[in-house]
Amino acid sequence: MTLDKICSEETVNDLLDRLTLRQLHLMEEKMCRELNIESNINNGCFNLAKSRYIMGQAAVSKERLPTEASSEFSALTRCETIEEDGEMKLKIVENDTNTVNPMHWFGVLVPQNLHKAKNIFQNALNFIVECANIQIQIQENVKNIDVLKRYKVMLNP
Amino acid sequence: MALQAAVKGKLISVIGDEDTCVGFLLGGIGEINKNRHPNFMVVDKNTPVSEIEDCFKRFTKRDDIDIILINQNIAELIRHVIDAHVAPVPSVLEIPSKDHPYDASKDSILRRAKGMFNPEDLSMFGAENYST
């Protein structure tokens, strides 16, 4: 049995309609998540600026970040790939092997604002992983729509 | 070897301005691996575009990275390289910075997704039947 006998043009059109609608929903969701990330980053930067005001300009800067000369350490927050309902998804996982406390790069007694900034950026990571998942779905959807469009052309040469 | 096996999951890397990098590293995503390669890059106004491009390509080639965060204003500088990256993993996410709000019309993924809504393609869906 050939493919065109299995899927009529009507079915293909219906599928294309559904995928297009899904695409619009996914695009809207992605923009919402990006706006959430934006407000988190703005809040986080505001708290970093307050910490900088309290501790001094150089105390909260890139000079405090580890460099290639620093000793090896692993990330506290990582992401894992899981398969849910046949779809590939990313999920945040906490790692406790060979880690360092990032707060110690900026001193031992740090202001409360730096703790707040840390929590805000950690929260932003949740939105980031959600946004990455939506992005993966958008890419998958684009691929499916493309395949269906080519199939539709095949049905009507 | 035992240490490597115990660490689960992959990394989130970041290419961004000072505040973005400091913030997300404070959030716990920073790592220096055994080859002393960091998973972040701080970009300032003096950083050459070629260096950003090389760093982005290096991150896309690393198999221990799942998400690459990049400030949208920096992504604009290397747009051609980002557009050329079509693989789902590592996922490239354009994020706003404190000085540059998010602009959906510049986002590579959204532009790609929007690409199928051009008039010729819509006519395939029978859009000409609805035209006034």
Side-chain angles (χ1 to χ4, degrees):
Chain A
M1 201 192 298
T2 55
L3 255 177
D4 52 348
K5 279 178 190 161
I6 308 165
C7 285
S8 68
E9 198 180 337
E10 206 174 310
T11 323
V12 175
N13 282 341
D14 194 39
L15 269 172
L16 272 171
D17 281 350
R18 279 181 205 204
L19 287 178
T20 310
L21 202 61
R22 182 172 143 83
Q23 187 80 332
L24 288 170
H25 283 303
L26 287 172
M27 284 164 77
E28 193 186 355
E29 266 185 62
K30 177 171 155 64
M31 280 187 260
C32 279
R33 295 295 185 285
E34 288 277 5
L35 293 179
N36 288 336
I37 294 169
E38 185 174 338
S39 67
N40 269 283
I41 287 177
N42 285 345
N43 273 337
C45 287
F46 182 65
N47 279 294
L48 283 182
K50 275 188 174 174
S51 316
R52 202 168 281 144
Y53 178 72
I54 296 166
M55 297 169 74
Q57 187 69 28
V60 185
S61 68
K62 62 179 179 183
E63 272 75 46
R64 295 298 182 117
L65 299 179
T67 59
E68 284 164 7
S70 314
S71 56
E72 172 195 350
F73 67 92
S74 295
L76 276 166
T77 311
R78 305 169 77 98
C79 56
E80 206 177 32
T81 315
I82 51 161
E83 198 146 326
E84 214 176 82
D85 306 328
E87 280 178 354
M88 191 191 91
K89 277 192 174 170
L90 298 170
K91 197 183 101 191
I92 281 195
V93 284
E94 300 296 326
N95 168 43
D96 48 16
T97 317
N98 189 28
T99 57
V100 291
N101 184 354
M103 208 56 98
H104 291 165
W105 299 329
F106 304 96
V108 181
L109 288 170
V110 291
Q112 202 58 37
N113 294 103
L114 206 61
H115 287 281
K116 271 191 201 162
K118 179 189 174 180
N119 291 338
I120 293 168
F121 278 102
Q122 273 177 338
N123 192 34
L125 285 175
N126 291 321
F127 287 122
I128 278 168
V129 170
E130 277 178 32
C131 198
N133 282 331
I134 295 170
Q135 229 173 251
I136 292 171
Q137 286 178 43
I138 289 179
Q139 280 173 304
E140 189 67 26
N141 224 30
V142 168
K143 222 184 283 172
N144 290 341
I145 289 173
D146 204 41
V147 169
L148 274 177
K149 273 186 195 168
R150 269 186 279 149
Y151 179 59
K152 197 180 161 180
V153 173
M154 258 169 57
L155 284 179
N156 303 306
Chain B
M1 192 65 196
L3 187 72
Q4 284 297 315
V7 179
K8 60 174 182 177
K10 290 190 183 182
L11 293 170
I12 301 171
S13 64
V14 57
I15 301 174
D17 60 16
E18 188 174 21
D19 276 8
T20 308
C21 287
V22 169
F24 282 111
L25 259 69
L26 205 52
I29 64 165
E31 177 171 305
I32 304 278
N33 66 9
K34 61 177 188 299
N35 302 319
R36 299 285 156 82
H37 289 151
N39 66 335
F40 57 90
M41 183 194 185
V42 182
V43 177
D44 57 30
K45 57 181 190 302
N46 299 321
T47 311
V49 176
S50 58
E51 211 173 290
I52 305 170
E53 220 176 283
D54 290 345
C55 181
F56 179 80
K57 285 180 183 162
R58 204 168 51 240
F59 284 168
T60 51
K61 278 182 198 140
R62 273 175 67 168
D63 60 355
D64 61 341
I65 291 177
D66 256 355
I67 300 176
I68 301 173
L69 301 175
I70 182 164
N71 278 147
Q72 203 169 37
N73 60 315
I74 298 168
E76 276 295 290
L77 303 174
I78 54 161
R79 184 58 68 195
H80 58 288
V81 189
I82 293 181
D83 282 341
H85 175 79
V86 286
V89 175
S91 189
V92 179
L93 205 66
E94 291 176 31
I95 54 168
S97 62
K98 68 173 197 292
D99 303 317
H100 299 85
Y102 179 68
D103 184 353
S105 64
K106 288 178 183 167
D107 195 302
S108 277
I109 296 285
L110 287 181
R111 279 197 297 136
R112 211 175 292 159
K114 223 168 60 181
M116 52 172 240
F117 297 127
N118 60 40
E120 294 99 66
D121 281 351
L122 279 176
S123 70
M124 284 187 72
F125 297 99
E128 72 275 17
N129 301 332
Y130 302 103
S131 59
T132 50

